[in-house]
PDB file of all heavy atoms in Angstrom:
ATOM      1  N   ALA A  17    -136.691 -50.221  83.700  1.00  0.00           N
ATOM      2  CA  ALA A  17    -136.788 -49.358  84.884  1.00  0.00           C
ATOM      3  C   ALA A  17    -135.512 -48.576  85.188  1.00  0.00           C
ATOM      4  O   ALA A  17    -135.543 -47.567  85.889  1.00  0.00           O
ATOM      5  CB  ALA A  17    -137.169 -50.205  86.096  1.00  0.00           C
ATOM      6  N   LYS A  18    -134.371 -49.033  84.683  1.00  0.00           N
ATOM      7  CA  LYS A  18    -133.105 -48.343  84.981  1.00  0.00           C
ATOM      8  C   LYS A  18    -133.013 -47.109  84.088  1.00  0.00           C
ATOM      9  O   LYS A  18    -132.948 -47.224  82.866  1.00  0.00           O
ATOM     10  CB  LYS A  18    -131.922 -49.280  84.753  1.00  0.00           C
ATOM     11  CG  LYS A  18    -131.919 -50.511  85.640  1.00  0.00           C
ATOM     12  CD  LYS A  18    -130.676 -51.360  85.393  1.00  0.00           C
ATOM     13  CE  LYS A  18    -130.647 -52.599  86.269  1.00  0.00           C
ATOM     14  NZ  LYS A  18    -131.615 -53.615  85.843  1.00  0.00           N
ATOM     15  N   ARG A  19    -132.935 -45.937  84.718  1.00  0.00           N
ATOM     16  CA  ARG A  19    -133.065 -44.680  83.974  1.00  0.00           C
ATOM     17  C   ARG A  19    -131.767 -43.891  83.982  1.00  0.00           C
ATOM     18  O   ARG A  19    -131.207 -43.587  85.041  1.00  0.00           O
ATOM     19  CB  ARG A  19    -134.190 -43.850  84.589  1.00  0.00           C
ATOM     20  CG  ARG A  19    -134.545 -42.569  83.841  1.00  0.00           C
ATOM     21  CD  ARG A  19    -135.711 -41.887  84.553  1.00  0.00           C
ATOM     22  NE  ARG A  19    -136.295 -40.814  83.761  1.00  0.00           N
ATOM     23  CZ  ARG A  19    -135.849 -39.571  83.718  1.00  0.00           C
ATOM     24  NH1 ARG A  19    -134.786 -39.238  84.447  1.00  0.00           N
ATOM     25  NH2 ARG A  19    -136.465 -38.657  82.973  1.00  0.00           N
ATOM     26  N   LEU A  20    -131.298 -43.556  82.779  1.00  0.00           N
ATOM     27  CA  LEU A  20    -130.107 -42.726  82.620  1.00  0.00           C
ATOM     28  C   LEU A  20    -130.509 -41.461  81.875  1.00  0.00           C
ATOM     29  O   LEU A  20    -131.120 -41.522  80.812  1.00  0.00           O
ATOM     30  CB  LEU A  20    -129.042 -43.476  81.802  1.00  0.00           C
ATOM     31  CG  LEU A  20    -127.882 -42.639  81.260  1.00  0.00           C
ATOM     32  CD1 LEU A  20    -126.896 -42.292  82.367  1.00  0.00           C
ATOM     33  CD2 LEU A  20    -127.154 -43.357  80.122  1.00  0.00           C
ATOM     34  N   GLU A  21    -130.201 -40.296  82.444  1.00  0.00           N
ATOM     35  CA  GLU A  21    -130.462 -39.037  81.746  1.00  0.00           C
ATOM     36  C   GLU A  21    -129.125 -38.360  81.493  1.00  0.00           C
ATOM     37  O   GLU A  21    -128.303 -38.211  82.393  1.00  0.00           O
ATOM     38  CB  GLU A  21    -131.381 -38.130  82.571  1.00  0.00           C
ATOM     39  CG  GLU A  21    -131.820 -36.898  81.799  1.00  0.00           C
ATOM     40  CD  GLU A  21    -133.050 -36.205  82.413  1.00  0.00           C
ATOM     41  OE1 GLU A  21    -133.659 -36.765  83.344  1.00  0.00           O
ATOM     42  OE2 GLU A  21    -133.372 -35.106  81.947  1.00  0.00           O
ATOM     43  N   VAL A  22    -128.926 -37.945  80.221  1.00  0.00           N
ATOM     44  CA  VAL A  22    -127.629 -37.406  79.836  1.00  0.00           C
ATOM     45  C   VAL A  22    -127.838 -36.289  78.820  1.00  0.00           C
ATOM     46  O   VAL A  22    -128.807 -36.288  78.060  1.00  0.00           O
ATOM     47  CB  VAL A  22    -126.739 -38.542  79.247  1.00  0.00           C
ATOM     48  CG1 VAL A  22    -127.390 -39.196  78.030  1.00  0.00           C
ATOM     49  CG2 VAL A  22    -125.336 -38.050  78.890  1.00  0.00           C
ATOM     50  N   ASP A  23    -126.919 -35.326  78.816  1.00  0.00           N
ATOM     51  CA  ASP A  23    -126.950 -34.261  77.819  1.00  0.00           C
ATOM     52  C   ASP A  23    -126.696 -34.906  76.449  1.00  0.00           C
ATOM     53  O   ASP A  23    -125.637 -35.504  76.214  1.00  0.00           O
ATOM     54  CB  ASP A  23    -125.855 -33.224  78.132  1.00  0.00           C
ATOM     55  CG  ASP A  23    -125.855 -32.070  77.136  1.00  0.00           C
ATOM     56  OD1 ASP A  23    -125.606 -32.324  75.943  1.00  0.00           O
ATOM     57  OD2 ASP A  23    -126.092 -30.919  77.553  1.00  0.00           O
ATOM     58  N   ALA A  24    -127.659 -34.793  75.540  1.00  0.00           N
ATOM     59  CA  ALA A  24    -127.606 -35.522  74.266  1.00  0.00           C
ATOM     60  C   ALA A  24    -126.393 -35.121  73.425  1.00  0.00           C
ATOM     61  O   ALA A  24    -125.728 -35.975  72.828  1.00  0.00           O
ATOM     62  CB  ALA A  24    -128.894 -35.290  73.476  1.00  0.00           C
ATOM     63  N   THR A  25    -126.078 -33.830  73.393  1.00  0.00           N
ATOM     64  CA  THR A  25    -124.961 -33.355  72.567  1.00  0.00           C
ATOM     65  C   THR A  25    -123.633 -33.849  73.118  1.00  0.00           C
ATOM     66  O   THR A  25    -122.778 -34.347  72.372  1.00  0.00           O
ATOM     67  CB  THR A  25    -124.956 -31.808  72.506  1.00  0.00           C
ATOM     68  OG1 THR A  25    -126.247 -31.361  72.096  1.00  0.00           O
ATOM     69  CG2 THR A  25    -123.922 -31.304  71.524  1.00  0.00           C
ATOM     70  N   GLU A  26    -123.458 -33.729  74.444  1.00  0.00           N
ATOM     71  CA  GLU A  26    -122.212 -34.192  75.070  1.00  0.00           C
ATOM     72  C   GLU A  26    -122.036 -35.697  74.899  1.00  0.00           C
ATOM     73  O   GLU A  26    -120.934 -36.196  74.658  1.00  0.00           O
ATOM     74  CB  GLU A  26    -122.199 -33.827  76.564  1.00  0.00           C
ATOM     75  CG  GLU A  26    -122.061 -32.338  76.853  1.00  0.00           C
ATOM     76  CD  GLU A  26    -120.828 -31.739  76.192  1.00  0.00           C
ATOM     77  OE1 GLU A  26    -119.741 -32.351  76.287  1.00  0.00           O
ATOM     78  OE2 GLU A  26    -120.933 -30.682  75.550  1.00  0.00           O
ATOM     79  N   PHE A  27    -123.155 -36.418  75.032  1.00  0.00           N
ATOM     80  CA  PHE A  27    -123.130 -37.879  74.883  1.00  0.00           C
ATOM     81  C   PHE A  27    -122.679 -38.259  73.467  1.00  0.00           C
ATOM     82  O   PHE A  27    -121.800 -39.101  73.282  1.00  0.00           O
ATOM     83  CB  PHE A  27    -124.516 -38.442  75.180  1.00  0.00           C
ATOM     84  CG  PHE A  27    -124.640 -39.928  74.975  1.00  0.00           C
ATOM     85  CD1 PHE A  27    -124.093 -40.820  75.883  1.00  0.00           C
ATOM     86  CD2 PHE A  27    -125.313 -40.443  73.871  1.00  0.00           C
ATOM     87  CE1 PHE A  27    -124.205 -42.198  75.700  1.00  0.00           C
ATOM     88  CE2 PHE A  27    -125.435 -41.803  73.669  1.00  0.00           C
ATOM     89  CZ  PHE A  27    -124.868 -42.680  74.580  1.00  0.00           C
ATOM     90  N   ALA A  28    -123.274 -37.614  72.458  1.00  0.00           N
ATOM     91  CA  ALA A  28    -122.937 -37.930  71.061  1.00  0.00           C
ATOM     92  C   ALA A  28    -121.458 -37.641  70.778  1.00  0.00           C
ATOM     93  O   ALA A  28    -120.771 -38.436  70.124  1.00  0.00           O
ATOM     94  CB  ALA A  28    -123.828 -37.134  70.115  1.00  0.00           C
ATOM     95  N   LYS A  29    -120.970 -36.507  71.286  1.00  0.00           N
ATOM     96  CA  LYS A  29    -119.563 -36.153  71.063  1.00  0.00           C
ATOM     97  C   LYS A  29    -118.627 -37.172  71.716  1.00  0.00           C
ATOM     98  O   LYS A  29    -117.591 -37.553  71.145  1.00  0.00           O
ATOM     99  CB  LYS A  29    -119.285 -34.758  71.612  1.00  0.00           C
ATOM    100  CG  LYS A  29    -119.862 -33.636  70.754  1.00  0.00           C
ATOM    101  CD  LYS A  29    -119.601 -32.280  71.408  1.00  0.00           C
ATOM    102  CE  LYS A  29    -120.182 -31.139  70.565  1.00  0.00           C
ATOM    103  NZ  LYS A  29    -120.068 -29.845  71.269  1.00  0.00           N
ATOM    104  N   ALA A  30    -118.989 -37.601  72.933  1.00  0.00           N
ATOM    105  CA  ALA A  30    -118.150 -38.563  73.654  1.00  0.00           C
ATOM    106  C   ALA A  30    -118.138 -39.919  72.950  1.00  0.00           C
ATOM    107  O   ALA A  30    -117.080 -40.552  72.818  1.00  0.00           O
ATOM    108  CB  ALA A  30    -118.647 -38.712  75.094  1.00  0.00           C
ATOM    109  N   VAL A  31    -119.292 -40.362  72.488  1.00  0.00           N
ATOM    110  CA  VAL A  31    -119.371 -41.636  71.747  1.00  0.00           C
ATOM    111  C   VAL A  31    -118.498 -41.554  70.496  1.00  0.00           C
ATOM    112  O   VAL A  31    -117.736 -42.471  70.174  1.00  0.00           O
ATOM    113  CB  VAL A  31    -120.837 -41.973  71.361  1.00  0.00           C
ATOM    114  CG1 VAL A  31    -120.874 -43.146  70.383  1.00  0.00           C
ATOM    115  CG2 VAL A  31    -121.670 -42.291  72.591  1.00  0.00           C
ATOM    116  N   ASP A  32    -118.609 -40.434  69.803  1.00  0.00           N
ATOM    117  CA  ASP A  32    -117.849 -40.249  68.568  1.00  0.00           C
ATOM    118  C   ASP A  32    -116.342 -40.292  68.842  1.00  0.00           C
ATOM    119  O   ASP A  32    -115.570 -40.884  68.078  1.00  0.00           O
ATOM    120  CB  ASP A  32    -118.246 -38.907  67.936  1.00  0.00           C
ATOM    121  CG  ASP A  32    -117.831 -38.818  66.480  1.00  0.00           C
ATOM    122  OD1 ASP A  32    -117.682 -39.870  65.835  1.00  0.00           O
ATOM    123  OD2 ASP A  32    -117.671 -37.690  65.981  1.00  0.00           O
ATOM    124  N   ARG A  33    -115.935 -39.672  69.959  1.00  0.00           N
ATOM    125  CA  ARG A  33    -114.501 -39.632  70.273  1.00  0.00           C
ATOM    126  C   ARG A  33    -113.959 -41.027  70.587  1.00  0.00           C
ATOM    127  O   ARG A  33    -112.937 -41.433  70.037  1.00  0.00           O
ATOM    128  CB  ARG A  33    -114.243 -38.682  71.459  1.00  0.00           C
ATOM    129  CG  ARG A  33    -114.227 -37.211  71.055  1.00  0.00           C
ATOM    130  CD  ARG A  33    -113.692 -36.342  72.164  1.00  0.00           C
ATOM    131  NE  ARG A  33    -114.606 -36.230  73.294  1.00  0.00           N
ATOM    132  CZ  ARG A  33    -115.509 -35.256  73.448  1.00  0.00           C
ATOM    133  NH1 ARG A  33    -115.626 -34.315  72.531  1.00  0.00           N
ATOM    134  NH2 ARG A  33    -116.301 -35.220  74.504  1.00  0.00           N
ATOM    135  N   VAL A  34    -114.629 -41.746  71.494  1.00  0.00           N
ATOM    136  CA  VAL A  34    -114.080 -43.056  71.879  1.00  0.00           C
ATOM    137  C   VAL A  34    -114.192 -44.073  70.745  1.00  0.00           C
ATOM    138  O   VAL A  34    -113.378 -44.999  70.633  1.00  0.00           O
ATOM    139  CB  VAL A  34    -114.744 -43.623  73.168  1.00  0.00           C
ATOM    140  CG1 VAL A  34    -114.475 -42.731  74.357  1.00  0.00           C
ATOM    141  CG2 VAL A  34    -116.224 -43.878  72.988  1.00  0.00           C
ATOM    142  N   ALA A  35    -115.182 -43.890  69.859  1.00  0.00           N
ATOM    143  CA  ALA A  35    -115.369 -44.834  68.751  1.00  0.00           C
ATOM    144  C   ALA A  35    -114.275 -44.720  67.698  1.00  0.00           C
ATOM    145  O   ALA A  35    -114.165 -45.580  66.823  1.00  0.00           O
ATOM    146  CB  ALA A  35    -116.732 -44.618  68.099  1.00  0.00           C
ATOM    147  N   THR A  36    -113.459 -43.664  67.815  1.00  0.00           N
ATOM    148  CA  THR A  36    -112.368 -43.466  66.849  1.00  0.00           C
ATOM    149  C   THR A  36    -111.449 -44.687  66.795  1.00  0.00           C
ATOM    150  O   THR A  36    -110.936 -45.036  65.733  1.00  0.00           O
ATOM    151  CB  THR A  36    -111.531 -42.217  67.220  1.00  0.00           C
ATOM    152  OG1 THR A  36    -112.416 -41.118  67.422  1.00  0.00           O
ATOM    153  CG2 THR A  36    -110.548 -41.868  66.118  1.00  0.00           C
ATOM    154  N   VAL A  37    -111.250 -45.337  67.938  1.00  0.00           N
ATOM    155  CA  VAL A  37    -110.322 -46.483  67.970  1.00  0.00           C
ATOM    156  C   VAL A  37    -111.043 -47.826  67.828  1.00  0.00           C
ATOM    157  O   VAL A  37    -110.404 -48.869  67.861  1.00  0.00           O
ATOM    158  CB  VAL A  37    -109.463 -46.497  69.269  1.00  0.00           C
ATOM    159  CG1 VAL A  37    -108.603 -45.267  69.359  1.00  0.00           C
ATOM    160  CG2 VAL A  37    -110.339 -46.665  70.503  1.00  0.00           C
ATOM    161  N   SER A  38    -112.372 -47.805  67.691  1.00  0.00           N
ATOM    162  CA  SER A  38    -113.091 -49.082  67.583  1.00  0.00           C
ATOM    163  C   SER A  38    -112.824 -49.730  66.240  1.00  0.00           C
ATOM    164  O   SER A  38    -112.488 -49.062  65.263  1.00  0.00           O
ATOM    165  CB  SER A  38    -114.600 -48.876  67.770  1.00  0.00           C
ATOM    166  OG  SER A  38    -115.121 -48.114  66.708  1.00  0.00           O
ATOM    167  N   SER A  39    -112.989 -51.052  66.182  1.00  0.00           N
ATOM    168  CA  SER A  39    -112.739 -51.754  64.926  1.00  0.00           C
ATOM    169  C   SER A  39    -113.858 -51.433  63.939  1.00  0.00           C
ATOM    170  O   SER A  39    -115.011 -51.283  64.326  1.00  0.00           O
ATOM    171  CB  SER A  39    -112.667 -53.265  65.165  1.00  0.00           C
ATOM    172  OG  SER A  39    -113.951 -53.788  65.406  1.00  0.00           O
ATOM    173  N   GLU A  40    -113.508 -51.347  62.660  1.00  0.00           N
ATOM    174  CA  GLU A  40    -114.480 -50.984  61.620  1.00  0.00           C
ATOM    175  C   GLU A  40    -115.633 -51.985  61.584  1.00  0.00           C
ATOM    176  O   GLU A  40    -116.749 -51.655  61.264  1.00  0.00           O
ATOM    177  CB  GLU A  40    -113.788 -50.940  60.249  1.00  0.00           C
ATOM    178  CG  GLU A  40    -113.052 -49.642  59.987  1.00  0.00           C
ATOM    179  CD  GLU A  40    -113.977 -48.430  60.029  1.00  0.00           C
ATOM    180  OE1 GLU A  40    -115.055 -48.475  59.421  1.00  0.00           O
ATOM    181  OE2 GLU A  40    -113.620 -47.446  60.690  1.00  0.00           O
ATOM    182  N   ARG A  41    -115.339 -53.250  61.921  1.00  0.00           N
ATOM    183  CA  ARG A  41    -116.341 -54.293  61.760  1.00  0.00           C
ATOM    184  C   ARG A  41    -117.415 -54.211  62.843  1.00  0.00           C
ATOM    185  O   ARG A  41    -118.592 -54.206  62.565  1.00  0.00           O
ATOM    186  CB  ARG A  41    -115.664 -55.667  61.784  1.00  0.00           C
ATOM    187  CG  ARG A  41    -116.529 -56.789  61.267  1.00  0.00           C
ATOM    188  CD  ARG A  41    -115.674 -58.038  61.036  1.00  0.00           C
ATOM    189  NE  ARG A  41    -114.940 -58.414  62.241  1.00  0.00           N
ATOM    190  CZ  ARG A  41    -115.472 -59.098  63.260  1.00  0.00           C
ATOM    191  NH1 ARG A  41    -116.728 -59.470  63.206  1.00  0.00           N
ATOM    192  NH2 ARG A  41    -114.749 -59.408  64.310  1.00  0.00           N
ATOM    193  N   SER A  42    -116.983 -54.115  64.102  1.00  0.00           N
ATOM    194  CA  SER A  42    -117.976 -54.189  65.179  1.00  0.00           C
ATOM    195  C   SER A  42    -118.453 -52.816  65.662  1.00  0.00           C
ATOM    196  O   SER A  42    -119.599 -52.659  66.052  1.00  0.00           O
ATOM    197  CB  SER A  42    -117.403 -54.955  66.378  1.00  0.00           C
ATOM    198  OG  SER A  42    -116.418 -54.168  67.033  1.00  0.00           O
ATOM    199  N   ARG A  43    -117.563 -51.811  65.621  1.00  0.00           N
ATOM    200  CA  ARG A  43    -117.903 -50.460  66.101  1.00  0.00           C
ATOM    201  C   ARG A  43    -118.495 -50.505  67.510  1.00  0.00           C
ATOM    202  O   ARG A  43    -119.410 -49.755  67.836  1.00  0.00           O
ATOM    203  CB  ARG A  43    -118.886 -49.774  65.144  1.00  0.00           C
ATOM    204  CG  ARG A  43    -118.431 -49.634  63.728  1.00  0.00           C
ATOM    205  CD  ARG A  43    -117.642 -48.380  63.468  1.00  0.00           C
ATOM    206  NE  ARG A  43    -118.461 -47.188  63.557  1.00  0.00           N
ATOM    207  CZ  ARG A  43    -117.994 -45.994  63.872  1.00  0.00           C
ATOM    208  NH1 ARG A  43    -116.726 -45.856  64.162  1.00  0.00           N
ATOM    209  NH2 ARG A  43    -118.772 -44.948  63.918  1.00  0.00           N
ATOM    210  N   ALA A  44    -118.008 -51.398  68.352  1.00  0.00           N
ATOM    211  CA  ALA A  44    -118.613 -51.603  69.670  1.00  0.00           C
ATOM    212  C   ALA A  44    -118.119 -50.585  70.698  1.00  0.00           C
ATOM    213  O   ALA A  44    -116.919 -50.313  70.808  1.00  0.00           O
ATOM    214  CB  ALA A  44    -118.323 -53.007  70.163  1.00  0.00           C
ATOM    215  N   VAL A  45    -119.073 -50.030  71.462  1.00  0.00           N
ATOM    216  CA  VAL A  45    -118.764 -49.116  72.565  1.00  0.00           C
ATOM    217  C   VAL A  45    -119.451 -49.659  73.819  1.00  0.00           C
ATOM    218  O   VAL A  45    -120.624 -50.026  73.781  1.00  0.00           O
ATOM    219  CB  VAL A  45    -119.280 -47.691  72.276  1.00  0.00           C
ATOM    220  CG1 VAL A  45    -119.117 -46.795  73.493  1.00  0.00           C
ATOM    221  CG2 VAL A  45    -118.549 -47.071  71.105  1.00  0.00           C
ATOM    222  N   LYS A  46    -118.710 -49.696  74.927  1.00  0.00           N
ATOM    223  CA  LYS A  46    -119.298 -50.197  76.181  1.00  0.00           C
ATOM    224  C   LYS A  46    -119.705 -49.025  77.069  1.00  0.00           C
ATOM    225  O   LYS A  46    -118.939 -48.067  77.237  1.00  0.00           O
ATOM    226  CB  LYS A  46    -118.306 -51.096  76.922  1.00  0.00           C
ATOM    227  CG  LYS A  46    -118.897 -51.702  78.207  1.00  0.00           C
ATOM    228  CD  LYS A  46    -118.081 -52.868  78.720  1.00  0.00           C
ATOM    229  CE  LYS A  46    -116.878 -52.390  79.505  1.00  0.00           C
ATOM    230  NZ  LYS A  46    -116.171 -53.502  80.177  1.00  0.00           N
ATOM    231  N   LEU A  47    -120.914 -49.083  77.625  1.00  0.00           N
ATOM    232  CA  LEU A  47    -121.397 -48.091  78.582  1.00  0.00           C
ATOM    233  C   LEU A  47    -121.409 -48.732  79.960  1.00  0.00           C
ATOM    234  O   LEU A  47    -122.031 -49.785  80.154  1.00  0.00           O
ATOM    235  CB  LEU A  47    -122.826 -47.648  78.225  1.00  0.00           C
ATOM    236  CG  LEU A  47    -123.016 -46.564  77.147  1.00  0.00           C
ATOM    237  CD1 LEU A  47    -122.494 -47.046  75.806  1.00  0.00           C
ATOM    238  CD2 LEU A  47    -124.489 -46.204  77.026  1.00  0.00           C
ATOM    239  N   SER A  48    -120.700 -48.108  80.909  1.00  0.00           N
ATOM    240  CA  SER A  48    -120.693 -48.580  82.300  1.00  0.00           C
ATOM    241  C   SER A  48    -121.292 -47.483  83.166  1.00  0.00           C
ATOM    242  O   SER A  48    -120.792 -46.359  83.199  1.00  0.00           O
ATOM    243  CB  SER A  48    -119.265 -48.884  82.771  1.00  0.00           C
ATOM    244  OG  SER A  48    -118.650 -49.791  81.883  1.00  0.00           O
ATOM    245  N   MET A  49    -122.407 -47.826  83.865  1.00  0.00           N
ATOM    246  CA  MET A  49    -123.136 -46.818  84.655  1.00  0.00           C
ATOM    247  C   MET A  49    -123.163 -47.178  86.130  1.00  0.00           C
ATOM    248  O   MET A  49    -123.394 -48.326  86.485  1.00  0.00           O
ATOM    249  CB  MET A  49    -124.584 -46.724  84.146  1.00  0.00           C
ATOM    250  CG  MET A  49    -124.715 -46.075  82.795  1.00  0.00           C
ATOM    251  SD  MET A  49    -126.182 -46.654  81.939  1.00  0.00           S
ATOM    252  CE  MET A  49    -125.608 -48.114  81.131  1.00  0.00           C
ATOM    253  N   GLU A  50    -122.938 -46.147  86.965  1.00  0.00           N
ATOM    254  CA  GLU A  50    -122.985 -46.346  88.415  1.00  0.00           C
ATOM    255  C   GLU A  50    -122.921 -44.984  89.087  1.00  0.00           C
ATOM    256  O   GLU A  50    -122.077 -44.154  88.742  1.00  0.00           O
ATOM    257  CB  GLU A  50    -121.788 -47.214  88.849  1.00  0.00           C
ATOM    258  CG  GLU A  50    -121.838 -47.642  90.304  1.00  0.00           C
ATOM    259  CD  GLU A  50    -120.658 -48.545  90.660  1.00  0.00           C
ATOM    260  OE1 GLU A  50    -119.642 -48.540  89.929  1.00  0.00           O
ATOM    261  OE2 GLU A  50    -120.754 -49.245  91.684  1.00  0.00           O
ATOM    262  N   ASP A  51    -123.822 -44.731  90.017  1.00  0.00           N
ATOM    263  CA  ASP A  51    -123.788 -43.518  90.865  1.00  0.00           C
ATOM    264  C   ASP A  51    -123.538 -42.226  90.080  1.00  0.00           C
ATOM    265  O   ASP A  51    -122.519 -41.533  90.294  1.00  0.00           O
ATOM    266  CB  ASP A  51    -122.692 -43.643  91.940  1.00  0.00           C
ATOM    267  CG  ASP A  51    -122.941 -44.828  92.859  1.00  0.00           C
ATOM    268  OD1 ASP A  51    -124.114 -45.205  93.009  1.00  0.00           O
ATOM    269  OD2 ASP A  51    -121.962 -45.390  93.377  1.00  0.00           O
ATOM    270  N   ASP A  52    -124.443 -41.880  89.208  1.00  0.00           N
ATOM    271  CA  ASP A  52    -124.364 -40.640  88.433  1.00  0.00           C
ATOM    272  C   ASP A  52    -123.090 -40.502  87.602  1.00  0.00           C
ATOM    273  O   ASP A  52    -122.641 -39.403  87.289  1.00  0.00           O
ATOM    274  CB  ASP A  52    -124.508 -39.403  89.342  1.00  0.00           C
ATOM    275  CG  ASP A  52    -125.922 -39.289  89.895  1.00  0.00           C
ATOM    276  OD1 ASP A  52    -126.835 -39.897  89.298  1.00  0.00           O
ATOM    277  OD2 ASP A  52    -126.119 -38.597  90.902  1.00  0.00           O
TER     278      ASP A  52
END
């Protein structure tokens, strides 16, 4: 039921940028959502 709507292109670019520093093994990215 929890709905997040996001610009797909901007989202992909942002994920790609922050993932630059993630470890090769886990490639983990955390999403924190609150009030738009």
Side-chain angles (χ1 to χ4, degrees):
K18 298 183 180 73
R19 186 178 192 276
L20 166 75
E21 188 162 352
V22 59
D23 181 297
T25 307
E26 290 305 314
F27 176 75
K29 286 177 180 174
V31 170
D32 197 25
R33 280 192 289 267
V34 297
T36 309
V37 298
S38 66
S39 74
E40 278 300 313
R41 195 167 55 81
S42 72
R43 302 272 291 154
V45 173
K46 183 164 81 172
L47 278 63
S48 305
M49 289 153 273
E50 188 178 19
D51 299 333
D52 291 340

